[in-house]
Amino acid sequence: MVYDPENIFAKILRGELPCDKVFEDDTVLAFRDIRPMTPVHVLVIPKGPYVSLDDFSANASDAEIVGFYRAVGNIARDLGVLKDGCRFLANTGEDARQEVPHFHMHIFAGRDLGSMIKRV
Ligand code: 5GP
């Protein structure tokens, strides 16, 4: 899949749309989800143009990958959600209903999150 520079997170990265920022460094931006599903719902994104975890893991530099996953852990720690627990989730592709085609990691926390996935 080709990266679409007009996706909503690309616009946030360019400052064309606002966000409720939680963290930023050279390679990572984290902000609160606009439609939170849990009391704490943060999205962590790389600044590079990666469509999905598939694209990111295959094509990002080692520095970007290390920076991203260190940031995810640090952000969760700073949010204070690791004591009671939280869920990290990266929807990838159609079956997972990935809505925004820019790689992002959800951090869900702040209540009992239930079982991992609904059985059908
Ligand atoms: P996905 O389904 O792709 O894993 O999740 C995309 C997430 O992005 C959704 O939880 C949705 O609420 C969030 N989202 C969509 N548009 C915006 C926006 O403009 N700002 C913010 N902060 N979050 C957004």
Side-chain angles (χ1 to χ4, degrees):
M1 191 180 187
V2 177
Y3 184 79
D4 171 12
E6 294 310 311
N7 80 74
I8 213 115
F9 292 172
K11 289 181 180 176
I12 288 174
L13 282 169
R14 290 196 296 269
E16 294 167 14
L17 289 174
C19 73
D20 183 357
K21 194 195 298 184
V22 168
F23 173 82
E24 181 170 18
D25 68 10
D26 287 351
T27 59
V28 174
L29 178 68
F31 49 91
R32 295 189 189 274
D33 197 289
I34 205 165
R35 294 188 302 270
M37 298 178 73
T38 48
V40 178
H41 185 176
V42 167
L43 301 167
V44 187
I45 68 174
K47 289 188 171 176
Y50 303 105
V51 175
S52 64
L53 188 146
D54 177 17
D55 187 12
F56 185 68
S57 64
N59 299 312
S61 66
D62 290 358
E64 285 175 294
I65 291 173
V66 169
F68 181 81
Y69 283 100
R70 276 215 196 283
V72 168
N74 288 339
I75 291 162
R77 215 167 284 118
D78 290 348
L79 288 167
V81 298
L82 290 172
K83 182 175 162 285
D84 289 338
C86 63
R87 181 166 295 152
F88 301 98
L89 181 86
N91 288 319
T92 306
E94 213 173 305
D95 277 1
R97 302 197 192 185
Q98 180 181 355
E99 181 192 320
V100 180
H102 182 114
F103 172 46
H104 50 281
M105 185 72 74
H106 295 258
I107 303 176
F108 297 108
R111 64 168 167 81
D112 180 350
L113 299 170
S115 59
M116 186 170 71
I117 205 162
K118 223 182 243 173
R119 291 184 195 279
V120 287

